[in-house]
Amino acid sequence: MAFGLRAQEGGLKNDPVKIEPTPLSTSPTTTRPVGTDTLKIKNNGIETTILYYAEDSIITKTATNVTYLYGNAYIEYGDIKLDAAQIIIDRNQNELIAKGVQDSTGSWIGLPVFQDKGGVYETRGIRYNFATNRAKITGVVTKQDEGYVSGEEIKKNQDGSAYIKGGKFIPCAELLATTYIKADKIKVIPGDKIITGPAQLYIGDIPTIFALPFAFFPDVKSDAQSGILFPKYGEERVRGIFLREGGYFFGNNEYIRTAVTGDYYSKGSFGFNVRSTYKKRYKYSGSVDLRYNKSKTPEIDENPLNSNDFWVSISHRPESRGKTRFSASINAGTSSYNNNNISTENFQNTIRSEFRSNISLTGSFANNRFSYGLNARHSQNIQTNILDVSLPEFSLNMTRVTPFSTAKQEALKRLSFSWAFSTSNKITNLIRPNTAGFDISNSTNEADTLAVTFAKLPELFANAQNGARHTIPISTSFPFLKNFNVSPSINFQELWYLQELDYTYLEDENAVRIDTLNGFSRASTYGANVNVSTQLYGIKNFKPSSKVESIRHIMQPSLSFSYRPDFGQEKYGYYKNIQVDSTSTGEPVYQFLSKYNGFVFGSPSLGESAAITFNVSNKVEMKVRNDTTKSEKVSILENLSFSTSYNFLADSFNLSDYNIAARTTLFKNKIDISAGIVLDPYTYLTTNDGEGDVIKRVDVIALTQGKGLGKIRSGRFSLSTNLNSKASNNNSSSSMRGGAGGMAAIEGGGFLNGEDDGYGTLNNGDMVNQQRVPQYFDDPNAYVDISVPWNVRFSYNYSFSQNLFNNKFSTTTRQSIKMNGQVAVSEKWQLTFNTGYDVELKEFTQSSLGVYRDLGCWELTGNWIPFGRFTSYSIDIQIKASALKDLKLSRRRSFFDN
């Protein structure tokens, strides 16, 4: 019997066995069959139980104490599970032996599949010792995170580590891949690392010059791994040859990961970056990105650089609900940062001109009857150098109260009121020009900006605006004549300021001097409104033989009346009638000026108003019969609306502009069309004053003069569509999204799917993330869905406006076409594109083209911006596995001046 076993073992070692490239699952591949038997054995003097099963037969020889399992045999012993065509259990030697069998065609079937806490192993044969927990395996293939490790022979230890002879590391999910690292000796410590002796890279089954005396590969299941970040290299036209984003990644901490990197350019420029992500599950997550760049080039250059730039990006997001929530989004820096540090990997950030930040703390108290909000806001335009900061902004709101909710009368039952209080302190570096229409002695006529420095802080604070506002709305609603709904409301408002304006006419300068008086000042306003609305339906039914079942028209008209007193009256004290100029005959020209003009919450309205506003909206839809019993609803017109208002108390031009808007969708929402127009209802007359024609707007309705609805002030039209060959399934395993990790992923928080650290290179060992298409640009067009062979988004926008200026109508027109999307040239090739055309300027907008090629274990990505200021291209060929991410060939070139 012993001789037979040795012969079988020798056969397992020498017989050639073809291992089919079936992907191994990380979940258990063995399932306990129904009707298993048990067997007692001793392990280190302790009696334990083995569960075993076989479909064909089970033979136990009591003389030798050996059990034979034939036909889909199965064993479960603690953490160990084993499937094989034949299994032998030798209780004398505390060993089990498993092997496959050959069918009538000579093919091997039922090869052993061994699983323990170290992983799953497909083998040709296995011998396992229960006493020592060691195993000797031949013809092994095991999955290790992002690839496979195979070997001619493996010895497995009690701690799960393994020694492999004649091994190969395949860095992708294809067992027959021709790219691998071959080493005669390999040691695998699951969940930690893979260490090899002399190793050589094979590409296309051909040995390359890339060989090492030893090799090390991290094999960490989680993303908590520290390591070196290898720099990217390339060349810029202005700053020279560069090494970027090289440094070190600190990933040991469970809650926070940090990358410290640096950039260096051959002409003297350099930079430092600190980027961190943090996450506490179910509580909060966020990221911090601090960047500093010293842009410096030789003075002999045509346009030498010498600037210090910095940028700060901070994001904090709460993930749990509670009475108090804190969130932050900060994007701020020097105005020259993006111009001096252009990157195709963050293309949209490069071409943006305005950045905003917001820090907020919100919460509620008194059983949610009151809510509060504390905000700090920032807005920065790097083209105009205008900086606006609101610090702080505070709001306190009381939820709506219905004191008569138990009343029988509907109007009293629905009567409710609420209260809202808000404060704001706005600081800006913009010095606003005089736009009053008269001369101001102590004001500039041109806009200017203050430099944002510590020395200018007193001027910035002096230019600040602050105030507070109370609002108390009281409203109710009730049905009227069954089909109408009436909603009356009264709104009270009070404004608080810490200063007010005083005006003085200077006769010798023929100008007005504006003085700011410090001290508490308040203003109260109120107004009333009554709205009446209803809904009308019209239905046209068709014959049963007709394809169209019915058409329905829904009309929603509303009529509202509003009243507001004239707060410019002297009794209120909010306005002063000030002389602002003199005529050629010496007659004074007066104007009402508010003492709160230009303040943060504005000033009370000037002039009494009693206006009726009319609005009507329409929707048309139809039901279409189809092959099923259920009819399909199709929208013909999503909306067609008309609105205008009439002020009874205005001294002239009582009727406001007509506003007409329409929107519809076609071909099952494939095409979206919207349009709008604004009409001036009054007549324009052309007269001659002896010096030429004069165009004048007169208080006569154009419709009464047979001139149609009026003069067109502005109009707009837009058409958009999103077409693809088939619907996208975002949950599909074949769906891929741009961004294979790298530094750009940190902007998403660095915790993709709760696993990826967002830094790529050596540290993003998530298999799902490795299969994503690398990022082309940081914009919506970076999305690549492999399950959709093509996807095109197209939009056309047209708008115009007409204004009477200098006795003639001037027309401003804007017209543009935008298109972006992706095309699957084949199963392995993907193209993405983003372009547009400005019809008025007769030129293309900034365009880009991206390409992705799946090369099995490798991948190719390319980015090309063919023209414009940011003209550049880049090509990268690299291995997908993060452990070998820095094994790549790159070509980058930028033609833009930065």
Side-chain angles (χ1 to χ4, degrees), residues 418-591:
S418 61
W419 169 72
F421 171 74
S422 59
T423 64
S424 179
N425 180 58
K426 292 187 177 180
I427 303 172
T428 180
N429 69 335
L430 174 64
I431 304 298
R432 292 177 174 83
N434 173 25
T435 57
F438 53 86
D439 292 335
I440 299 176
S441 63
N442 55 345
S443 175
T444 180
N445 291 323
E446 295 183 1
D448 196 9
T449 56
L450 296 171
V452 183
T453 62
F454 287 105
K456 292 290 185 178
L457 283 180
E459 294 183 57
L460 290 170
F461 289 141
N463 197 38
Q465 297 179 350
N466 49 62
R469 176 175 59 194
H470 296 264
T471 304
I472 303 177
I474 303 174
S475 64
T476 187
S477 63
F478 54 89
F480 178 69
L481 298 178
K482 294 185 179 180
N483 296 317
F484 294 90
N485 187 66
V486 182
S487 302
S489 63
I490 301 175
N491 192 69
F492 295 94
Q493 191 175 92
E494 180 159 305
L495 306 177
W496 289 356
Y497 294 116
L498 298 179
Q499 57 188 19
E500 59 184 46
L501 303 179
D502 184 60
Y503 303 91
T504 305
Y505 177 70
L506 304 179
E507 187 174 355
D508 55 338
E509 300 181 21
N510 192 31
V512 176
R513 186 184 74 231
I514 302 177
D515 298 312
T516 301
L517 307 179
N518 294 322
F520 179 75
S521 183
R522 56 178 291 274
S524 298
T525 65
Y526 56 90
N529 180 77
V530 177
N531 179 270
V532 180
S533 62
T534 188
Q535 188 161 280
L536 306 175
Y537 294 88
I539 299 178
K540 169 64 176 176
N541 294 316
F542 293 86
K543 296 179 180 179
S545 59
S546 174
K547 180 70 174 177
V548 178
E549 181 178 327
S550 63
I551 294 179
R552 182 172 70 168
H553 174 209
I554 306 173
M555 179 185 293
Q556 294 176 310
S558 67
L559 191 69
S560 63
F561 174 78
S562 61
Y563 175 78
R564 183 194 67 232
D566 179 12
F567 294 106
Q569 298 180 49
E570 186 177 354
K571 66 178 182 178
Y572 294 105
Y574 306 147
Y575 286 81
K576 288 185 178 181
N577 195 17
I578 302 294
Q579 181 180 348
V580 297
D581 202 354
S582 298
T583 63
S584 57
T585 60
E587 294 294 327
V589 178
Y590 288 90
Q591 186 172 328

Side-chain angles (χ1 to χ4, degrees), residues 45 87 160 219 227 238-239 258 279 316 394 489 522 534 572 592 697 725 737 768 849-850:
I87 299 178
D219 183 33
V238 174
R239 293 186 290 188
T258 302
K279 179 177 181 130
H316 178 85
F394 176 75
S489 63
R522 56 178 291 274
T534 188
Y572 294 105
F592 281 95
R697 184 175 185 245
S725 57
R737 177 172 294 274
V768 174
L849 178 67

